[in-house]
Amino acid sequence: LWVEREETDQMAKLNGPLIKKYIEQFQEANSIYGIPMPENLTEVILRMPDAVSKQDATEELTEEEWAVARKVAEEAVEQLMNFRKQEGKALEQKFHEKVNNIEALMKSIEPYEKARTEKIRQRLVESLSSIPEVEYDRGRLEQEMIFYIEKLDINEEKQRLFHHLDYFRETLNGEYGQGKKLGFIAQEMGREINTTGSKSNQAEMQNIVVMMKDELEQIKEQVLNVL
């Protein structure tokens, strides 16, 4: 805030009380010590410290001036809050969009997930059949297949990810000041997505995981803008 003064307000002003004191001191010196009064008394006094000064730059505002300043400040705060609300709404919409995208991408993995079981089995059987001298127990093969497929199963990761997505939405629609909490939830979402990626042994599934990571990275960047 600043106040623009008229030129007349910027003019130098005589410090009357101080000038009066200087004159009294000259008169006292003349009376007591016999020091003659200077012929150019006015010129001498005007050269004395602080005899002439400009208006104090730190003077207090009048009630009228303060009313104007307060009105400007209130308008600025109101505009700031309106801008924050607009940005917040846009950010909320972006979060919902990204969360929905991750959910849809995770669900799009299911067809590939179901198909890969039979593909893995066929690939192993073909590999064993290509070696005539190798005999294998089909029952044992099925057991090993079940064990192997269980290690690649991502059902738990999907359920946890969906839970984190719902929790993110719930927190987003809750109280103010949840920025850090949203950040923590995003980290947990990333953990499930990364585990899904490590268990994905198909190019299609891995491509989907990459897209989920991209959506999550955008969420993490924008969470930094939430208080």
Coordinates of all heavy atoms in Angstrom, one line a residue, residues 55-133:
Q55 N 7.9 16.3 5.6 CA 6.9 15.6 6.4 C 7.3 14.2 6.7 O 7.9 13.5 5.9 CB 5.6 15.6 5.5 CG 4.4 15.0 6.3 CD 3.1 15.2 5.4 OE1 3.2 15.5 4.3 NE2 2.0 14.9 6.0
D56 N 7.0 13.8 7.9 CA 7.4 12.4 8.3 C 6.7 11.4 7.5 O 5.5 11.4 7.3 CB 6.9 12.2 9.8 CG 7.4 10.9 10.3 OD1 8.1 10.2 9.6 OD2 7.1 10.6 11.5
A57 N 7.5 10.5 6.9 CA 7.0 9.5 6.0 C 6.2 8.4 6.7 O 5.4 7.6 6.1 CB 8.1 8.8 5.2
T58 N 6.3 8.4 8.0 CA 5.7 7.3 8.8 C 4.4 7.8 9.5 O 4.0 7.2 10.5 CB 6.6 6.7 9.8 OG1 7.1 7.8 10.7 CG2 7.9 6.1 9.2
E59 N 3.9 8.9 9.1 CA 2.7 9.5 9.8 C 1.6 8.5 9.7 O 1.5 7.7 8.7 CB 2.3 10.8 9.1 CG 1.8 10.7 7.7 CD 1.2 12.0 7.2 OE1 0.4 12.6 8.0 OE2 1.5 12.4 6.1
E60 N 0.7 8.5 10.6 CA -0.4 7.5 10.7 C -1.5 8.0 9.7 O -1.7 9.1 9.4 CB -1.0 7.5 12.1 CG 0.0 6.9 13.1 CD -0.7 6.8 14.5 OE1 -1.9 7.2 14.6 OE2 0.0 6.4 15.4
L61 N -2.2 7.0 9.2 CA -3.3 7.2 8.2 C -4.5 7.8 9.0 O -4.7 7.5 10.1 CB -3.7 5.9 7.5 CG -2.7 5.2 6.6 CD1 -3.3 4.0 6.1 CD2 -2.3 6.2 5.5
T62 N -5.2 8.7 8.3 CA -6.4 9.2 8.9 C -7.5 8.1 8.8 O -7.3 7.1 8.1 CB -6.9 10.4 8.1 OG1 -7.2 10.0 6.7 CG2 -5.8 11.5 8.1
E63 N -8.6 8.3 9.4 CA -9.7 7.3 9.4 C -10.2 7.1 7.9 O -10.5 6.0 7.5 CB -10.8 7.7 10.3 CG -10.6 7.6 11.8 CD -10.4 6.1 12.1 OE1 -11.1 5.2 11.5 OE2 -9.5 5.8 13.0
E64 N -10.2 8.2 7.2 CA -10.7 8.2 5.8 C -9.7 7.4 5.0 O -10.1 6.5 4.1 CB -10.9 9.6 5.3 CG -11.4 9.6 3.8 CD -11.5 11.0 3.3 OE1 -11.3 12.0 4.1 OE2 -11.9 11.2 2.1
E65 N -8.4 7.6 5.1 CA -7.4 6.9 4.4 C -7.4 5.4 4.7 O -7.3 4.6 3.9 CB -6.0 7.5 4.6 CG -5.8 8.9 4.0 CD -4.6 9.6 4.5 OE1 -4.1 9.3 5.6 OE2 -4.0 10.4 3.7
W66 N -7.5 5.1 6.0 CA -7.5 3.7 6.4 C -8.8 3.0 5.9 O -8.7 1.8 5.5 CB -7.5 3.7 7.9 CG -7.7 2.2 8.4 CD1 -8.7 1.8 9.3 CD2 -7.0 1.1 8.1 NE1 -8.6 0.5 9.5 CE2 -7.5 0.0 8.8 CE3 -5.9 0.9 7.3 CZ2 -7.0 -1.3 8.7 CZ3 -5.4 -0.4 7.2 CH2 -6.0 -1.5 7.9
A67 N -9.9 3.7 5.8 CA -11.1 3.1 5.2 C -10.9 2.7 3.8 O -11.3 1.6 3.4 CB -12.3 4.0 5.4
V68 N -10.2 3.5 3.0 CA -9.9 3.2 1.6 C -8.9 2.0 1.6 O -9.1 1.1 0.8 CB -9.3 4.4 0.9 CG1 -8.8 4.1 -0.5 CG2 -10.3 5.6 0.9
A69 N -7.9 2.1 2.4 CA -6.9 1.0 2.4 C -7.6 -0.4 2.8 O -7.3 -1.4 2.2 CB -5.8 1.3 3.4
R70 N -8.4 -0.3 3.8 CA -9.1 -1.5 4.3 C -10.0 -2.1 3.2 O -10.0 -3.3 3.0 CB -9.9 -1.2 5.5 CG -10.6 -2.5 6.1 CD -11.2 -2.2 7.4 NE -12.2 -1.2 7.3 CZ -12.2 0.0 8.1 NH1 -11.2 0.2 8.9 NH2 -13.1 0.9 7.9
K71 N -10.7 -1.2 2.5 CA -11.5 -1.7 1.4 C -10.7 -2.4 0.3 O -11.1 -3.4 -0.2 CB -12.3 -0.5 0.8 CG -13.3 -0.9 -0.3 CD -14.0 0.3 -0.9 CE -14.9 -0.1 -2.0 NZ -15.6 1.1 -2.6
V72 N -9.6 -1.8 -0.1 CA -8.8 -2.4 -1.1 C -8.2 -3.8 -0.6 O -8.2 -4.7 -1.4 CB -7.6 -1.5 -1.4 CG1 -6.6 -2.2 -2.3 CG2 -8.1 -0.2 -2.1
A73 N -7.8 -3.8 0.6 CA -7.3 -5.1 1.2 C -8.4 -6.2 1.2 O -8.1 -7.3 0.8 CB -6.8 -4.9 2.6
E74 N -9.6 -5.8 1.6 CA -10.7 -6.7 1.6 C -11.0 -7.3 0.2 O -11.3 -8.4 0.0 CB -11.9 -6.1 2.3 CG -11.8 -5.9 3.8 CD -12.9 -5.1 4.4 OE1 -13.7 -4.5 3.6 OE2 -13.0 -5.0 5.6
E75 N -11.0 -6.3 -0.7 CA -11.3 -6.8 -2.1 C -10.2 -7.7 -2.6 O -10.5 -8.7 -3.3 CB -11.4 -5.5 -3.0 CG -12.6 -4.7 -2.8 CD -12.6 -3.4 -3.6 OE1 -11.6 -3.2 -4.3 OE2 -13.6 -2.7 -3.6
A76 N -9.0 -7.4 -2.3 CA -7.9 -8.3 -2.7 C -8.0 -9.7 -2.1 O -7.8 -10.7 -2.8 CB -6.5 -7.7 -2.3
V77 N -8.3 -9.8 -0.8 CA -8.5 -11.1 -0.1 C -9.7 -11.8 -0.7 O -9.6 -13.0 -0.9 CB -8.7 -10.8 1.4 CG1 -9.1 -12.2 2.1 CG2 -7.5 -10.3 2.0
E78 N -10.8 -11.1 -1.0 CA -11.9 -11.8 -1.6 C -11.6 -12.3 -3.0 O -12.0 -13.5 -3.3 CB -13.1 -10.7 -1.7 CG -14.4 -11.4 -2.3 CD -15.5 -10.4 -2.4 OE1 -15.3 -9.2 -2.0 OE2 -16.6 -10.8 -2.8
Q79 N -10.9 -11.6 -3.8 CA -10.5 -12.1 -5.1 C -9.5 -13.3 -5.0 O -9.6 -14.3 -5.7 CB -9.8 -11.0 -5.9 CG -10.7 -9.8 -6.3 CD -10.0 -8.7 -7.1 OE1 -8.9 -9.0 -7.6 NE2 -10.6 -7.6 -7.1
L80 N -8.6 -13.2 -4.0 CA -7.7 -14.4 -3.8 C -8.5 -15.6 -3.4 O -8.3 -16.7 -3.9 CB -6.8 -14.0 -2.6 CG -5.9 -15.2 -2.1 CD1 -5.0 -15.7 -3.2 CD2 -5.0 -14.7 -0.9
M81 N -9.5 -15.5 -2.5 CA -10.3 -16.6 -2.1 C -11.1 -17.2 -3.2 O -11.2 -18.4 -3.4 CB -11.2 -16.2 -0.9 CG -10.4 -15.8 0.4 SD -9.3 -17.1 0.9 CE -10.4 -18.4 1.4
N82 N -11.7 -16.3 -4.0 CA -12.5 -16.8 -5.2 C -11.6 -17.5 -6.2 O -12.0 -18.5 -6.7 CB -13.1 -15.6 -5.9 CG -14.2 -15.0 -5.1 OD1 -14.8 -15.6 -4.2 ND2 -14.6 -13.7 -5.3
F83 N -10.3 -17.0 -6.4 CA -9.4 -17.7 -7.3 C -9.0 -19.0 -6.7 O -9.0 -20.0 -7.5 CB -8.2 -16.8 -7.4 CG -7.1 -17.4 -8.3 CD1 -7.3 -17.4 -9.7 CD2 -6.0 -18.0 -7.8 CE1 -6.3 -18.0 -10.5 CE2 -5.0 -18.6 -8.6 CZ -5.2 -18.6 -10.0
R84 N -8.8 -19.1 -5.4 CA -8.5 -20.4 -4.8 C -9.6 -21.4 -5.0 O -9.4 -22.6 -5.2 CB -8.1 -20.2 -3.3 CG -6.8 -19.5 -3.1 CD -6.5 -19.5 -1.6 NE -6.5 -20.8 -1.0 CZ -6.4 -21.1 0.3 NH1 -6.5 -20.1 1.2 NH2 -6.4 -22.3 0.7
K85 N -10.8 -20.9 -4.8 CA -12.0 -21.8 -5.0 C -12.1 -22.3 -6.5 O -12.4 -23.5 -6.7 CB -13.3 -21.1 -4.6 CG -13.4 -20.8 -3.1 CD -14.7 -20.1 -2.8 CE -14.8 -19.8 -1.3 NZ -16.0 -19.0 -1.0
Q86 N -11.8 -21.4 -7.4 CA -11.9 -21.8 -8.8 C -10.8 -22.9 -9.1 O -11.0 -23.9 -9.8 CB -11.7 -20.6 -9.7 CG -12.8 -19.6 -9.7 CD -12.5 -18.3 -10.4 OE1 -11.5 -18.2 -11.1 NE2 -13.4 -17.4 -10.3
E87 N -9.6 -22.6 -8.6 CA -8.5 -23.5 -8.8 C -8.7 -24.8 -8.1 O -8.4 -25.9 -8.7 CB -7.2 -22.9 -8.3 CG -6.6 -21.8 -9.2 CD -6.2 -22.2 -10.6 OE1 -5.3 -23.1 -10.7 OE2 -6.8 -21.7 -11.5
G88 N -9.3 -24.8 -6.9 CA -9.6 -26.0 -6.2 C -10.6 -26.8 -6.9 O -10.5 -28.1 -7.0
K89 N -11.7 -26.2 -7.5 CA -12.7 -27.0 -8.2 C -12.1 -27.7 -9.4 O -12.3 -28.8 -9.7 CB -13.8 -26.1 -8.7 CG -14.8 -25.7 -7.6 CD -15.6 -26.9 -7.1 CE -16.6 -26.5 -6.0 NZ -17.3 -27.7 -5.5
A90 N -11.2 -26.9 -10.2 CA -10.5 -27.5 -11.3 C -9.6 -28.7 -10.9 O -9.6 -29.7 -11.6 CB -9.7 -26.4 -12.1
L91 N -8.9 -28.5 -9.8 CA -8.0 -29.5 -9.3 C -8.8 -30.7 -8.9 O -8.4 -31.9 -9.1 CB -7.2 -29.0 -8.2 CG -5.9 -29.7 -7.8 CD1 -5.0 -29.9 -8.9 CD2 -5.2 -29.0 -6.6
E92 N -9.9 -30.5 -8.2 CA -10.8 -31.6 -7.7 C -11.3 -32.4 -8.9 O -11.2 -33.7 -8.9 CB -12.0 -31.1 -6.9 CG -12.9 -32.2 -6.5 CD -14.1 -31.6 -5.8 OE1 -14.4 -30.4 -6.0 OE2 -14.8 -32.4 -5.0
Q93 N -11.7 -31.7 -10.0 CA -12.2 -32.4 -11.2 C -11.0 -33.2 -11.8 O -11.3 -34.4 -12.3 CB -12.7 -31.4 -12.2 CG -13.3 -32.0 -13.5 CD -13.9 -30.9 -14.4 OE1 -13.9 -29.8 -14.0 NE2 -14.3 -31.3 -15.6
K94 N -9.8 -32.7 -11.8 CA -8.7 -33.4 -12.4 C -8.4 -34.6 -11.6 O -8.1 -35.7 -12.2 CB -7.5 -32.4 -12.4 CG -6.2 -33.0 -13.0 CD -6.3 -33.4 -14.4 CE -6.4 -32.1 -15.3 NZ -6.4 -32.4 -16.7
F95 N -8.4 -34.5 -10.3 CA -8.2 -35.7 -9.4 C -9.2 -36.8 -9.7 O -8.8 -38.0 -9.9 CB -8.2 -35.3 -8.0 CG -7.0 -34.7 -7.4 CD1 -7.1 -33.6 -6.6 CD2 -5.7 -35.1 -7.8 CE1 -5.9 -33.0 -6.1 CE2 -4.6 -34.5 -7.4 CZ -4.7 -33.4 -6.5
H96 N -10.5 -36.5 -9.8 CA -11.5 -37.5 -10.1 C -11.3 -38.1 -11.4 O -11.4 -39.3 -11.6 CB -12.9 -36.8 -10.0 CG -13.4 -36.6 -8.6 ND1 -13.7 -37.7 -7.8 CD2 -13.7 -35.5 -7.9 CE1 -14.1 -37.2 -6.6 NE2 -14.1 -35.9 -6.7
E97 N -10.9 -37.3 -12.4 CA -10.6 -37.8 -13.7 C -9.5 -38.8 -13.7 O -9.6 -39.9 -14.3 CB -10.3 -36.7 -14.7 CG -9.9 -37.1 -16.1 CD -9.3 -35.9 -16.9 OE1 -9.7 -34.8 -16.6 OE2 -8.6 -36.1 -17.8
K98 N -8.4 -38.5 -13.0 CA -7.2 -39.4 -13.0 C -7.5 -40.7 -12.2 O -7.1 -41.7 -12.6 CB -6.0 -38.6 -12.4 CG -5.5 -37.4 -13.2 CD -5.2 -37.8 -14.6 CE -4.9 -36.6 -15.5 NZ -4.6 -37.0 -16.9
V99 N -8.2 -40.5 -11.1 CA -8.5 -41.7 -10.3 C -9.4 -42.6 -11.1 O -9.3 -43.9 -11.1 CB -9.2 -41.3 -9.0 CG1 -9.9 -42.4 -8.3 CG2 -8.2 -40.6 -8.0
N100 N -10.4 -42.1 -11.8 CA -11.3 -42.9 -12.6 C -10.5 -43.6 -13.8 O -10.8 -44.7 -14.1 CB -12.4 -42.0 -13.2 CG -13.4 -41.5 -12.2 OD1 -13.5 -42.1 -11.1 ND2 -14.1 -40.5 -12.5
N101 N -9.5 -42.9 -14.3 CA -8.7 -43.5 -15.4 C -7.9 -44.7 -14.9 O -7.8 -45.7 -15.5 CB -7.8 -42.4 -16.0 CG -8.5 -41.4 -16.8 OD1 -9.6 -41.5 -17.1 ND2 -7.8 -40.3 -17.1
I102 N -7.3 -44.5 -13.7 CA -6.6 -45.6 -13.1 C -7.5 -46.8 -12.8 O -7.1 -48.0 -13.1 CB -5.9 -45.2 -11.8 CG1 -4.8 -44.1 -12.1 CG2 -5.3 -46.4 -11.0 CD1 -4.1 -43.6 -10.8
E103 N -8.7 -46.5 -12.3 CA -9.6 -47.6 -12.0 C -10.0 -48.4 -13.3 O -10.0 -49.6 -13.4 CB -10.9 -47.1 -11.4 CG -11.9 -48.1 -10.9 CD -13.0 -47.5 -10.1 OE1 -13.6 -46.5 -10.6 OE2 -13.4 -48.1 -9.1
A104 N -10.3 -47.6 -14.4 CA -10.7 -48.2 -15.7 C -9.5 -49.0 -16.3 O -9.7 -50.1 -16.8 CB -11.1 -47.1 -16.6
L105 N -8.3 -48.5 -16.1 CA -7.1 -49.2 -16.7 C -6.9 -50.5 -15.9 O -6.6 -51.5 -16.6 CB -5.9 -48.3 -16.6 CG -5.8 -47.1 -17.6 CD1 -4.7 -46.1 -17.2 CD2 -5.6 -47.7 -19.0
M106 N -7.1 -50.4 -14.6 CA -6.9 -51.7 -13.8 C -7.9 -52.7 -14.2 O -7.6 -53.9 -14.4 CB -7.0 -51.4 -12.4 CG -6.5 -52.5 -11.5 SD -4.8 -53.0 -11.8 CE -4.3 -53.7 -10.3
K107 N -9.1 -52.3 -14.5 CA -10.2 -53.3 -14.9 C -9.9 -53.8 -16.3 O -10.3 -54.9 -16.6 CB -11.6 -52.6 -14.8 CG -12.1 -52.3 -13.4 CD -13.4 -51.6 -13.4 CE -13.9 -51.4 -12.0 NZ -15.2 -50.7 -12.0
S108 N -9.3 -53.0 -17.1 CA -9.0 -53.4 -18.5 C -7.9 -54.5 -18.6 O -7.7 -55.1 -19.6 CB -8.6 -52.2 -19.3 OG -7.3 -51.8 -19.0
I109 N -7.2 -54.8 -17.4 CA -6.2 -55.8 -17.4 C -6.9 -57.2 -17.3 O -6.3 -58.2 -17.8 CB -5.3 -55.6 -16.2 CG1 -4.3 -54.4 -16.4 CG2 -4.5 -56.8 -15.8 CD1 -3.4 -54.2 -15.3
E110 N -8.1 -57.3 -16.8 CA -8.7 -58.6 -16.5 C -8.8 -59.5 -17.7 O -8.4 -60.7 -17.5 CB -10.1 -58.3 -15.9 CG -10.1 -57.7 -14.6 CD -11.5 -57.4 -14.0 OE1 -12.5 -57.8 -14.7 OE2 -11.6 -56.8 -13.0
P111 N -9.1 -59.1 -18.9 CA -9.2 -60.0 -20.0 C -7.8 -60.7 -20.3 O -7.7 -61.9 -20.6 CB -9.6 -59.2 -21.2 CG -10.4 -58.1 -20.6 CD -9.7 -57.8 -19.3
Y112 N -6.7 -59.8 -20.2 CA -5.4 -60.4 -20.5 C -5.0 -61.3 -19.3 O -4.2 -62.3 -19.5 CB -4.4 -59.2 -20.6 CG -4.8 -58.2 -21.7 CD1 -5.3 -57.0 -21.4 CD2 -4.6 -58.6 -23.0 CE1 -5.6 -56.1 -22.4 CE2 -4.9 -57.7 -24.1 CZ -5.4 -56.5 -23.7 OH -5.8 -55.6 -24.7
E113 N -5.4 -60.9 -18.1 CA -5.0 -61.7 -17.0 C -5.6 -63.1 -17.1 O -4.9 -64.1 -16.8 CB -5.6 -61.0 -15.7 CG -5.2 -61.7 -14.4 CD -5.9 -61.1 -13.2 OE1 -6.7 -60.2 -13.4 OE2 -5.6 -61.5 -12.1
K114 N -6.8 -63.3 -17.5 CA -7.5 -64.6 -17.6 C -6.9 -65.4 -18.8 O -6.7 -66.6 -18.7 CB -9.0 -64.4 -17.8 CG -9.7 -63.8 -16.6 CD -11.2 -63.6 -16.9 CE -11.9 -63.0 -15.7 NZ -13.3 -62.7 -16.0
A115 N -6.6 -64.7 -19.9 CA -6.0 -65.4 -21.1 C -4.6 -65.9 -20.9 O -4.2 -66.9 -21.5 CB -6.1 -64.5 -22.3
R116 N -3.9 -65.2 -20.0 CA -2.5 -65.6 -19.9 C -2.3 -66.9 -19.2 O -1.3 -67.6 -19.4 CB -1.7 -64.5 -19.1 CG -2.0 -64.4 -17.6 CD -1.1 -63.4 -16.9 NE -1.5 -63.2 -15.6 CZ -0.8 -62.6 -14.7 NH1 0.4 -62.1 -15.0 NH2 -1.2 -62.5 -13.4
T117 N -3.2 -67.4 -18.4 CA -3.1 -68.6 -17.7 C -3.0 -69.8 -18.7 O -2.1 -70.6 -18.6 CB -4.3 -68.9 -16.8 OG1 -4.4 -67.8 -15.8 CG2 -4.2 -70.2 -16.1
E118 N -3.9 -69.8 -19.7 CA -3.8 -70.8 -20.7 C -2.6 -70.7 -21.6 O -2.0 -71.7 -22.0 CB -5.1 -70.8 -21.5 CG -5.2 -71.9 -22.6 CD -5.2 -73.3 -22.0 OE1 -5.6 -73.4 -20.8 OE2 -4.7 -74.2 -22.6
K119 N -2.2 -69.4 -21.8 CA -1.0 -69.2 -22.7 C 0.2 -69.7 -22.0 O 1.1 -70.3 -22.6 CB -0.9 -67.7 -23.0 CG -1.9 -67.2 -24.0 CD -1.6 -65.7 -24.3 CE -2.6 -65.2 -25.3 NZ -2.3 -63.7 -25.6
I120 N 0.3 -69.5 -20.7 CA 1.5 -70.0 -19.9 C 1.5 -71.5 -20.0 O 2.6 -72.1 -20.2 CB 1.4 -69.5 -18.5 CG1 1.6 -68.0 -18.4 CG2 2.5 -70.2 -17.6 CD1 1.4 -67.3 -17.1
R121 N 0.4 -72.1 -19.8 CA 0.3 -73.6 -19.8 C 0.7 -74.1 -21.1 O 1.5 -75.1 -21.2 CB -1.1 -74.0 -19.4 CG -1.3 -75.5 -19.3 CD -2.7 -75.9 -18.9 NE -2.8 -77.3 -18.6 CZ -2.9 -78.2 -19.6 NH1 -2.9 -77.9 -20.9 NH2 -3.0 -79.5 -19.3
Q122 N 0.2 -73.6 -22.2 CA 0.5 -74.0 -23.5 C 2.0 -73.9 -23.9 O 2.6 -74.8 -24.4 CB -0.4 -73.3 -24.6 CG -1.8 -73.6 -24.6 CD -2.6 -72.8 -25.6 OE1 -2.1 -72.0 -26.3 NE2 -3.9 -73.1 -25.7
R123 N 2.5 -72.8 -23.4 CA 3.9 -72.5 -23.7 C 4.8 -73.5 -23.0 O 5.8 -74.0 -23.6 CB 4.3 -71.1 -23.3 CG 5.7 -70.7 -23.7 CD 5.9 -69.2 -23.6 NE 5.8 -68.7 -22.3 CZ 4.8 -67.9 -21.9 NH1 3.9 -67.5 -22.7 NH2 4.7 -67.4 -20.6
L124 N 4.5 -73.9 -21.8 CA 5.3 -74.8 -21.0 C 5.2 -76.2 -21.6 O 6.2 -77.0 -21.8 CB 4.9 -74.9 -19.6 CG 5.2 -73.6 -18.7 CD1 4.6 -73.7 -17.3 CD2 6.8 -73.5 -18.6
V125 N 3.9 -76.6 -22.0 CA 3.7 -77.9 -22.6 C 4.4 -78.0 -23.9 O 5.1 -79.1 -24.2 CB 2.2 -78.2 -22.8 CG1 2.0 -79.5 -23.6 CG2 1.5 -78.3 -21.4
E126 N 4.4 -77.0 -24.7 CA 5.1 -77.0 -26.0 C 6.6 -77.1 -25.8 O 7.3 -77.8 -26.6 CB 4.7 -75.8 -26.8 CG 3.2 -75.8 -27.3 CD 2.9 -74.4 -28.0 OE1 3.7 -73.5 -28.0 OE2 1.7 -74.3 -28.4
S127 N 7.1 -76.4 -24.8 CA 8.5 -76.4 -24.6 C 8.9 -77.8 -24.2 O 10.0 -78.3 -24.6 CB 8.9 -75.4 -23.5 OG 8.6 -74.1 -23.9
L128 N 8.1 -78.5 -23.3 CA 8.5 -79.8 -22.9 C 8.3 -80.8 -24.0 O 9.1 -81.8 -24.1 CB 7.6 -80.2 -21.7 CG 7.8 -79.5 -20.4 CD1 6.7 -79.8 -19.3 CD2 9.2 -79.9 -19.8
S129 N 7.3 -80.6 -24.8 CA 7.1 -81.6 -26.0 C 8.2 -81.5 -27.0 O 8.4 -82.4 -27.8 CB 5.7 -81.3 -26.6 OG 4.7 -81.5 -25.6
S130 N 8.8 -80.3 -27.1 CA 9.9 -80.2 -28.1 C 11.1 -80.9 -27.7 O 12.1 -81.0 -28.5 CB 10.2 -78.7 -28.3 OG 10.7 -78.1 -27.0
I131 N 11.2 -81.5 -26.5 CA 12.3 -82.2 -26.1 C 11.9 -83.7 -25.9 O 11.3 -84.1 -24.8 CB 12.9 -81.7 -24.7 CG1 13.2 -80.2 -24.8 CG2 14.2 -82.4 -24.4 CD1 13.6 -79.5 -23.6
P132 N 12.0 -84.5 -26.9 CA 11.4 -85.9 -26.9 C 11.9 -86.7 -25.7 O 11.2 -87.5 -25.2 CB 11.9 -86.5 -28.2 CG 12.2 -85.3 -29.1 CD 12.7 -84.2 -28.2
E133 N 13.2 -86.6 -25.3 CA 13.7 -87.5 -24.3 C 13.3 -87.1 -22.9 O 13.6 -87.8 -21.9 CB 15.3 -87.4 -24.4 CG 15.9 -86.1 -24.1 CD 16.0 -85.2 -25.3 OE1 15.4 -85.6 -26.4 OE2 16.8 -84.3 -25.3

